Amino acid sequence: MRGIERRLQIMNQIQQSGAAEVSELAELYQVSTMTIRRDLAKLEEDGLIRMEYGGAVLNRGTLFEYNMAMKQCEHLEEKMAIAEVAETYIKDGDSIFLDAGTTVCELAKRLVKRKNIKIMTQSLLVANVLAGSDVDLVMCPGRFRATSMAFMGQLTDAFLSSFRIDKLFLGVEGVAAEAGVSVPNVRDGITKQNLVRRSNWAACVADSSKFGKSYHYNICELSQLDVLITDKGVGRQQEGLCEKETALVKA
């Protein structure tokens, strides 16, 4: 098992129980306690946990956020299914914006062979996927945020003010009835909020693990979205958080 995959599983375990002991983790994953301590130190560096004597506890709160490497390993099949549905909304001649996020990046992979569309993005992941393709690609400037692997902030927002977007595919961290869609980082959230405002049509792509969660910065209410695309893991109780104006499409 790779280190990133092991750390993701460790995080899932700590999220479920709130804490974990080094010795138990070492036995569970059949590695040394030193390896587990290095894993926990990396998770603490990312702000996800707090190390204590003999183990670690979860950092709870609305600022909690996985780094991009861990996000890319998580719920991959669901993200690919969501991307497949999202692509059906893109027609020849569309000018679209692909937001930062690993689910949106899966959509970018499906657009590599498309020719008659224009794509704008602030995501380095998306730009790397589309580099060398026939897609008409515009990369937004801004201040780079490594956790999002994207550019954002005042320079990005000023650049976007000159454009009107036909279709937006938005990536978020939380989807909740009262809080709408949200992210932990304020700078990221403000840029996403501006994207929604400048779009004629907006779709949020979010796997079911993000439902029922809310984070530090609210991007918009669910009623401001045209489509919310998720996977079949969304339960009946979670479907009720979609307003009439918002279509829930399960991948």
Side-chain angles (χ1 to χ4, degrees):
M1 180 185 296
R2 293 186 304 165
I4 290 176
E5 294 172 343
R6 186 175 58 250
R7 287 194 292 274
L8 182 59
Q9 290 191 21
I10 290 172
M11 269 308 306
N12 289 337
Q13 184 172 341
I14 295 176
Q15 280 186 293
Q16 291 176 8
S17 61
E21 294 185 4
V22 171
S23 58
E24 292 179 352
L25 292 172
E27 183 177 353
L28 178 63
Y29 295 105
Q30 295 295 296
V31 295
S32 68
T33 56
M34 185 63 69
T35 297
I36 293 297
R37 290 186 187 279
R38 284 197 294 267
D39 287 337
L40 295 178
K42 184 65 174 67
L43 294 173
E44 184 177 47
E45 182 183 333
D46 291 337
L48 303 176
I49 64 165
R50 184 177 71 256
M51 292 186 69
E52 295 187 347
Y53 181 78
V57 295
L58 183 67
N59 270 350
R60 301 182 185 274
T62 59
L63 297 178
F64 181 93
E65 183 178 10
Y66 284 130
N67 63 37
M68 190 56 69
M70 295 182 73
K71 289 178 183 178
Q72 288 179 302
C73 294
E74 198 178 30
H75 307 295
L76 183 56
E77 289 186 7
E78 290 85 350
K79 292 173 182 178
M80 292 172 66
I82 291 168
E84 183 177 358
V85 172
E87 188 188 6
T88 65
Y89 289 91
I90 300 173
K91 310 302 180 185
D92 285 351
D94 280 344
S95 172
I96 68 173
F97 196 103
L98 297 184
D99 184 30
T102 52
T103 306
V104 181
C105 189
E106 289 302 318
L107 173 57
K109 293 175 183 178
R110 299 187 64 88
L111 301 178
V112 170
K113 295 183 179 180
R114 298 285 290 268
K115 296 182 179 180
N116 299 319
I117 57 173
K118 174 175 284 187
I119 295 177
M120 294 181 66
T121 189
Q122 86 282 41
S123 168
L124 188 58
L125 292 178
V126 169
N128 285 338
V129 167
L130 296 174
S133 71
D134 291 326
V135 169
D136 186 356
L137 178 65
V138 176
M139 185 70 187
C140 298
R143 177 167 291 182
F144 185 70
R145 181 173 187 255
T147 304
S148 302
M149 289 294 288
F151 298 91
M152 57 192 65
Q154 292 182 348
L155 186 59
T156 310
D157 299 336
F159 179 80
L160 290 171
S161 67
S162 299
F163 295 90
R164 192 69 196 171
I165 300 164
D166 287 339
K167 295 177 181 178
L168 166 67
F169 292 88
L170 185 72
V172 303
E173 293 297 322
V175 181
E178 294 184 1
V181 291
S182 57
V183 289
N185 183 265
V186 173
R187 184 152 42 99
D188 187 18
I190 291 174
T191 295
K192 291 176 187 291
Q193 195 172 63
N194 285 330
L195 286 169
V196 173
R197 289 171 179 165
R198 303 210 64 80
S199 300
N200 296 326
W201 180 93
C204 176
V205 291
D207 69 75
S208 56
S209 71
K210 297 178 179 179
F211 277 61
K213 297 179 180 179
S214 60
Y215 290 86
H216 186 59
Y217 194 88
N218 169 250
I219 300 165
C220 68
E221 302 302 320
L222 294 175
S223 59
Q224 293 175 257
L225 300 170
D226 292 279
V227 178
L228 175 56
I229 306 174
T230 187
D231 61 83
K232 296 177 181 178
V234 171
R236 290 183 179 178
Q237 72 279 10
Q238 294 170 314
E239 291 181 6
L241 57 77
C242 294
E243 300 291 341
K244 291 181 180 178
E245 298 89 341
T246 306
L248 177 66
V249 180
K250 290 187 178 183

